[in-house]
Amino acid sequence: MIETASAAQSGPSATVMGMNNFDPGRMLAFDLETTGTDPRTCRIVTSALVRLADGAKDSRIMLADPGIEIPEAAAAVHGITTEKARAEGRPHDEVLADTIAGLRAAWADGLAVVAYNAAYDLTVLLSQDPSFTIDGLVVDPFVLDQHYDQFRKGKRTLTDVAQHYRVRLDAAHDATEDALAAARVAWMMARQYPEMTQLPGEELMELQAVTYYERRKSLQQYLSGLGKDTSDMTFGWPTDA
């Protein structure tokens, strides 16, 4: 297990010392929509930062011009075409910088950043800005659901998991709605699994890193058994670079 935990925590600032426990009443829900599926090469199209703290909600939604063509397959998922992004979006690097600044501000205020499949979104940021670091608690309902309910059958997409926990997801693949749904799932999970709020933040981060690593290794073994190439798989959380 020591070897597994060490491997799982590779990446920038995988565990930040002295962070707060998870408080479901103080979250920054975060989601990106991008130009593709590879977080190491894709660029931001929309960024949603929804601060849910002390009974108040503050949303910041940013549309970026990624500076490249948005593939038709990506536009079909999130609804943002190249033409729309060029006409209405801000420069990509401005949106990237403002997104990172928003995350850092939330961590400085003691909020948990909640992101579904956080290794994707945070790796996008790291790939576009190598100076990006994880400066506080990250809560990933995708990983925690796999940990606490590992034997449940079925898919683990945000849509499926939202249905399982009976929370709203008004428009899948809209960055704001995905961010809010992830926060709702995290809130419901904290009620169902109170250990999430009782664990010190450092331990919750380690639990997620190890869970992610172990599930990815299991998937690698399964795919290898089918004769598929898994040489490009990565295993780090909260960044997978």
Side-chain angles (χ1 to χ4, degrees):
M1 182 61 71
I2 293 175
E3 180 182 356
T4 300
S6 176
Q9 293 180 69
S10 62
S13 302
T15 300
V16 181
M17 300 305 293
M19 67 180 64
N20 296 333
N21 289 27
F22 175 45
D23 178 356
R26 294 178 55 78
M27 298 185 281
L28 180 76
F30 166 57
D31 186 70
L32 298 176
E33 296 297 329
T34 62
T35 58
T37 58
D38 185 346
R40 298 160 204 80
T41 59
C42 70
R43 294 171 71 85
I44 298 169
V45 176
T46 55
S47 172
L49 301 170
V50 184
R51 183 177 282 237
L52 303 163
D54 307 318
K57 173 183 171 183
D58 181 24
S59 300
R60 185 174 190 191
I61 316 306
M62 293 174 278
L63 174 63
D65 174 1
I68 61 173
E69 293 284 331
I70 299 174
E72 290 184 6
V77 171
H78 51 61
I80 308 297
T81 63
T82 301
E83 293 72 24
K84 180 178 177 64
R86 286 176 177 169
E88 303 176 22
R90 294 168 54 206
H92 177 272
D93 288 353
E94 286 186 10
V95 172
L96 172 66
D98 285 353
T99 298
I100 292 173
L103 296 180
R104 286 177 171 156
W107 280 322
D109 290 341
L111 276 64
V113 169
V114 177
Y116 197 83
N117 195 15
Y120 176 84
D121 300 82
L122 297 178
T123 298
V124 171
L125 301 182
L126 177 63
S127 298
Q128 294 297 320
D129 180 357
S131 71
F132 173 62
T133 54
I134 307 299
D135 298 332
L137 181 61
V138 177
V139 171
D140 187 342
F142 172 67
V143 175
L144 288 167
D145 178 60
Q146 293 180 359
H147 171 76
Y148 287 113
D149 200 359
Q150 60 180 306
F151 299 114
R152 188 178 80 247
K153 297 186 182 299
K155 296 180 180 178
R156 305 273 178 154
T157 68
L158 178 56
T159 299
D160 294 303
V161 172
Q163 289 175 348
H164 175 73
Y165 288 98
R166 300 181 181 179
V167 304
R168 286 169 45 206
L169 174 53
D170 293 332
H173 301 297
D174 174 277
T176 305
E177 298 303 329
D178 283 357
L180 284 170
R184 294 179 186 123
V185 170
W187 189 83
M188 290 294 291
M189 290 188 69
R191 294 183 64 187
Q192 187 167 339
Y193 307 108
E195 178 189 357
M196 283 175 56
T197 62
Q198 296 166 359
L199 278 176
E202 296 90 343
E203 293 184 24
L204 186 60
M205 290 286 280
E206 181 176 5
L207 181 151
Q208 292 175 96
V210 172
T211 298
Y212 186 87
Y213 175 85
E214 291 178 343
R215 293 301 293 250
R216 293 285 288 177
K217 289 298 290 185
S218 178
L219 177 61
Q220 182 189 45
Q221 292 170 3
Y222 172 75
L223 294 175
S224 296
L226 297 177
K228 296 187 177 182
D229 181 13
T230 62
S231 59
D232 63 344
M233 287 189 69
T234 52
F235 306 91
W237 186 98
T239 60
D240 203 5

